[in-house]
Amino acid sequence: MSGQVIGQEFKIRSRLLINGQGAFLRAAITVDDSLSAKEVEIGSFLVSQNGSVHSEDGELLVDRNQHLIEYSLLVAILRRVLSITTKD
């Protein structure tokens, strides 16, 4: 999946992650580093089988029953990309 925020392109790459807590989809948010011309991971999150969103440490970030869960997740991703863009 890819997108663009105020001219900054980003990608979300996913893969299956199985650990002691279960099976998750690991989503890594990446941007291209203009200096090194390499893709750099700027954040990541885990999605459980029930749809809840967790940090890499397993902390619950967004409960699957939360109102407008998709919106909350999208806003969090866009804020992360914007925080990188405004530092350049």
Side-chain angles (χ1 to χ4, degrees):
M1 177 179 180
S2 62
Q4 190 175 54
V5 182
I6 309 177
Q8 175 66 55
E9 293 183 9
F10 69 95
K11 294 177 185 141
I12 301 176
R13 301 199 181 274
S14 61
R15 67 177 176 86
L16 178 63
L17 173 70
I18 299 174
N19 62 24
Q21 297 175 328
F24 297 88
L25 176 130
R26 182 182 186 272
I29 307 163
T30 64
V31 296
D32 290 329
D33 181 1
S34 57
L35 297 176
S36 69
K38 293 183 180 178
E39 196 170 86
V40 177
E41 185 175 308
I42 60 169
S44 63
F45 56 93
L46 305 176
V47 181
S48 69
Q49 291 176 322
N50 73 7
S52 296
V53 179
H54 301 262
S55 70
E56 288 278 351
D57 297 330
E59 176 187 353
L60 179 65
L61 300 176
V62 183
D63 185 86
R64 70 181 177 112
N65 296 316
Q66 181 176 326
H67 184 63
L68 300 173
I69 184 174
E70 298 87 356
Y71 176 76
S72 298
L73 186 56
L74 176 62
V75 168
I77 292 168
L78 296 178
R79 290 182 66 196
R80 183 66 182 138
V81 172
L82 284 172
S83 73
I84 298 302
T85 303
T86 56
K87 290 180 183 176
D88 292 342

